[in-house]
């Protein structure tokens, strides 16, 4: 059975960085790291996702670069659309899509000339960030407990299981009243996403999507894998913060959450995810539709009882936007599950 895991050799990366130019490309990426609970503005615009043996850097929810490290040092993979400066235009430029990735080895990454390319990659990648991805970034700004985004789970190999990997948009270490953090999951959709709607008595497609995730979590050993993976994530993020971001000022709230999670032997995992819905048009969204459509979609979502269907499926729903709630996620109900 494919295992869900999170790990990265941050200490090895730190050693390489200490022996490289202070303007190396890896350091340049981390200089632009925006922590959970911070706005992604100015130069600090990148979010960090710790994977199994690599890191992903994101701009407004759009993946920019993949960083791994081995015996020969770090390697960075960047989509050729970004390295060539092929922006996604709102009206389209008629040019064929760019395919493939550009790889940079340790020697290239150590050179300041490669570091000088990072800003261009980020600017180009941002042009591909959809409204829904930007909504996810807004949620990270408001929730310092976010410890992962685009959580891809390995496909189940059990008989009768679909060979499709479930994916959750946000993983949150939620804390309340000084209690140890628990691990919660959220699926993020904009109000105009058709997966939130269904005609007649049919359940919206998002209900089936979350059902796949819950069934995956109910497989033997999965809870223990998730517990260990996110303890490792918290530890890795702490080391990365100390090496690349610590400034001598007081630690931000996310650091205290990482410490608390890393110290737990078996953090509680809340299997049932929530759904958070963006009822507004995130800044900079590139889609070629009128922004007023989002407000219209939000109104019809309630008027046509789509919200009621999710409530009946016992899914906690949090709506964000004008005439709705703010982006701070509520606590999902804690039902301890053993590994």
């Amino acid at each position: 059975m494919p295992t869900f895991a999170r790990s990265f050799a941050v200490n090895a990366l730190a050693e390489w960085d200490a022996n490289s130019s202070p303007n190396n490309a890896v350091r340049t990426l981390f200089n632009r790291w925006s922590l959970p609970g911070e706005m992604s503005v100015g130069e600090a615009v990148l979010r960090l996702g710790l994977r199994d043996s690599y890191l992903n850097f994101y701009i407004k929810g759009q993946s920019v670069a993949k960083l791994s490290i081995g015996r020969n040092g770090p390697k960075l993979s960047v989509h050729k659309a970004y390295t060539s400066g092929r922006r996604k235009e709102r009206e389209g430029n008629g040019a064929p899509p760019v395919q493939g990735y550009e790889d940079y080895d340790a020697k290239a990454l150590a050179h300041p000339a490669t570091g000088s390319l990072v800003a261009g990659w980020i600017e180009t990648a941002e042009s591909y960030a959809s409204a829904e991805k930007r909504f996810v970034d807004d949620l990270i700004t408001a929730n310092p407990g976010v410890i992962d985004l685009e959580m891809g789970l390995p496909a189940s190999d059990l008989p009768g299981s679909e060979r499709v990997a479930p994916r959750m948009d946000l993983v949150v270490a939620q804390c309340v009243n000084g209690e140890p953090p628990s691990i919660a999951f959220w699926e993020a959709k904009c109000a105009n996403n058709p997966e939130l709607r269904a005609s007649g008595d049919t359940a919206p497609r998002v209900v089936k999507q979350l059902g796949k995730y819950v069934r995956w979590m109910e497989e033997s050993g999965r809870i223990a894998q998730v517990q260990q993976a996110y303890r490792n994530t918290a530890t890795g993020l702490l080391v990365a913060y100390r090496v690349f971001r610590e400034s001598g000022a007081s630690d931000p709230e996310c650091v205290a959450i990482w410490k608390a999670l890393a110290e737990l032997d078996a953090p509680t995992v809340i299997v049932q995810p929530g759904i958070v819905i963006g009822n507004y048009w995130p800044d900079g969204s590139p889609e070629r539709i009128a922004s007023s459509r989002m407000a219209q979609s939000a109104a019809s979502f309630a008027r046509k009882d789509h919200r009621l269907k999710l409530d009946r499926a016992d899914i906690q729903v949090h709506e964000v936007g004008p005439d709705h709630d703010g982006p701070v996620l509520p606590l999902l109900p804690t039902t301890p599950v053993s590994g």
Side-chain angles (χ1 to χ4, degrees):
M1 180 172 66
T3 300
F4 177 73
R6 291 286 187 264
S7 66
F8 187 78
V10 183
N11 288 323
L13 186 66
E15 182 178 352
W16 176 88
D17 174 72
N19 293 295
S20 301
S21 162
N23 297 317
N24 69 71
V26 172
R27 171 66 65 168
T28 302
L29 283 164
F30 275 102
N31 286 346
R32 292 172 173 267
W33 181 17
S34 180
L35 302 176
E38 297 178 345
M39 291 186 67
S40 56
V41 295
E43 291 198 349
V45 293
L46 297 180
R47 306 298 188 183
L48 187 62
L50 195 150
R51 305 289 177 243
D52 189 13
S53 302
Y54 67 96
L55 303 175
N56 261 355
F57 292 89
Y58 296 86
I59 172 69
K60 301 297 182 184
Q62 180 72 24
S63 179
V64 177
K66 172 184 174 181
L67 178 66
S68 57
I69 188 165
R71 64 181 61 184
N72 296 320
K75 183 181 80 170
L76 193 73
S77 296
V78 185
H79 199 282
K80 288 183 177 179
Y82 308 158
T83 61
S84 65
R86 180 70 66 83
R87 293 175 55 86
K88 182 178 181 180
E89 303 296 339
R90 290 176 183 266
E91 300 303 325
N93 55 17
V98 178
Q99 303 290 337
Y101 291 83
E102 193 79 39
D103 291 334
Y104 298 85
D105 62 14
K107 182 178 179 180
L109 293 173
H111 202 288
T114 307
S116 68
L117 301 175
V118 169
W121 299 341
I122 293 172
E123 182 181 355
T124 303
E126 186 178 356
S127 71
Y128 290 82
S130 66
E132 212 154 78
K133 289 180 179 291
R134 291 169 185 270
F135 174 49
V136 167
D137 191 77
D138 288 350
L139 294 170
I140 298 172
T141 294
N143 295 276
V146 171
I147 54 171
D148 202 2
L149 68 160
E150 289 198 342
M151 174 201 186
L153 303 177
S156 174
D157 58 1
L158 294 179
S161 298
E162 296 184 51
R163 297 295 297 169
V164 178
R167 183 181 294 271
M168 295 302 301
D169 290 315
L170 288 173
V171 184
V172 180
Q174 63 177 35
C175 306
V176 59
N177 298 331
E179 294 293 320
S182 54
I183 300 171
F185 307 90
W186 288 88
E187 180 67 17
K189 305 286 188 189
C190 283
N192 63 343
N193 191 316
E195 293 180 354
L196 293 170
R197 293 165 163 74
S199 59
D201 295 328
T202 306
R205 279 184 290 170
V206 70
V207 175
K208 182 179 179 181
Q209 177 186 352
L210 297 193
K212 290 180 182 178
Y213 163 83
V214 170
R215 287 191 294 275
W216 185 94
M217 292 288 285
E218 290 174 344
E219 293 176 8
S220 177
R222 293 302 194 189
I223 294 294
Q225 291 175 15
V226 170
Q227 290 170 328
Q228 185 61 55
Y230 285 116
R231 289 181 64 234
N232 291 348
T233 296
T235 300
L237 291 173
L238 276 171
V239 176
Y241 172 76
R242 298 302 182 203
V243 172
F244 294 104
R245 274 294 309 270
E246 192 169 31
S247 63
S250 59
D251 289 337
E253 186 177 353
C254 63
V255 173
I257 295 172
W258 297 340
K259 286 180 181 178
L261 181 58
E263 292 170 356
L264 291 177
D265 290 330
T268 296
V269 176
I270 301 170
V271 171
Q272 179 62 56
I275 298 176
V276 55
I277 301 172
N279 291 331
Y280 66 98
W281 199 250
D283 290 343
S285 302
E287 285 87 343
R288 291 170 290 176
I289 61 174
S291 60
S292 60
R293 286 269 301 277
M294 197 69 80
Q296 295 168 5
S297 296
S300 69
F301 178 71
R303 186 177 65 251
K304 297 184 178 181
D305 290 337
H306 300 298
R307 166 69 187 260
L308 184 60
K309 290 181 179 180
L310 298 180
D311 292 338
R312 287 172 175 168
D314 291 327
I315 297 172
Q316 183 158 336
V317 179
H318 182 70
E319 295 186 66
V320 179
D323 303 320
H324 294 87
D325 293 318
V328 175
L329 295 170
L331 298 172
L332 293 181
T334 303
T335 304
V337 180
S338 64

